Amino acid sequence: MKPYVGKEFEALKMRYDDQVALLRFMTTFDFQIFGGFLTLQLALGSWLAAHPISSVLVQLGVLLIDAVAALLSAKLLHNQHSRRQEVQATIRNINLALGFEEPGAYLESQSLNPAYTRRLWFKWYMVGIAASYVGMLLIVFGR
């Protein structure tokens, strides 16, 4: 006998609650990753603008460290993006199981959930990371 028989709604609600909580955490974590990276970029960029580096090796070293920070931030955000798609698919499956997508199940001739367009932020995070790295290149080699 399956342990959820007779408790299907409670099982779906429990799964929905934990997936929504995970999605909220992931959104906060995305902002922390991106915000932390931009904070480092701004702090380093403003310091370098006031204290130019004349040694090419030191310039390359700073840019290498900056590139590693940019790539790690991008990879973390990419992993978050992939996991977010899995969580969204789980929530979509729960909505299907509860009939939220079925027209007429809750509201006459329409589904409870409206049609929506996904708004992916990952590409905009990558634009921000790339632009800040190009800005760092300009600051380091601009003098």
Side-chain angles (χ1 to χ4, degrees):
M1 180 171 166
K2 297 179 181 178
Y4 61 83
V5 172
K7 301 176 189 172
E8 291 84 0
F9 177 77
E10 289 83 6
L12 289 171
K13 183 178 180 327
M14 179 186 70
R15 187 68 173 151
Y16 179 84
D17 289 343
D18 77 340
Q19 293 298 287
V20 168
L22 178 58
L23 202 54
R24 285 185 185 127
F25 171 77
M26 291 172 68
T27 299
T28 301
F29 192 52
D30 286 351
F31 290 143
Q32 289 172 341
I33 292 168
F34 189 67
F37 175 74
L38 284 184
T39 299
L40 286 172
Q41 291 292 89
L42 290 170
L44 181 60
S46 63
W47 188 85
L48 287 172
H51 304 89
I53 301 171
S54 57
S55 168
V56 174
L57 285 178
V58 175
Q59 289 173 333
L60 292 175
V62 167
L63 291 176
L64 177 64
I65 292 168
D66 197 50
V68 169
L71 291 173
L72 287 175
S73 296
K75 184 60 179 168
L76 286 170
L77 288 166
H78 179 263
N79 288 348
Q80 286 285 100
H81 172 72
S82 298
R83 180 65 179 122
R84 179 182 306 278
Q85 290 178 322
E86 295 168 2
V87 171
Q88 289 171 336
T90 300
I91 291 171
R92 190 171 31 256
N93 289 342
I94 293 167
N95 287 335
L96 287 171
L98 291 171
F100 291 170
E101 306 292 330
E102 185 179 328
Y106 292 91
L107 301 172
E108 191 164 327
S109 73
Q110 63 184 17
S111 67
L112 186 60
N113 287 345
Y116 69 94
T117 302
R118 291 185 62 206
R119 293 163 195 91
L120 302 176
W121 283 92
F122 177 69
K123 63 184 174 186
W124 294 110
Y125 288 140
M126 295 305 102
V127 167
I129 288 172
S132 67
Y133 189 75
V134 169
M136 191 63 66
L137 285 169
L138 293 173
I139 290 169
V140 169
F141 291 121
R143 290 190 176 204

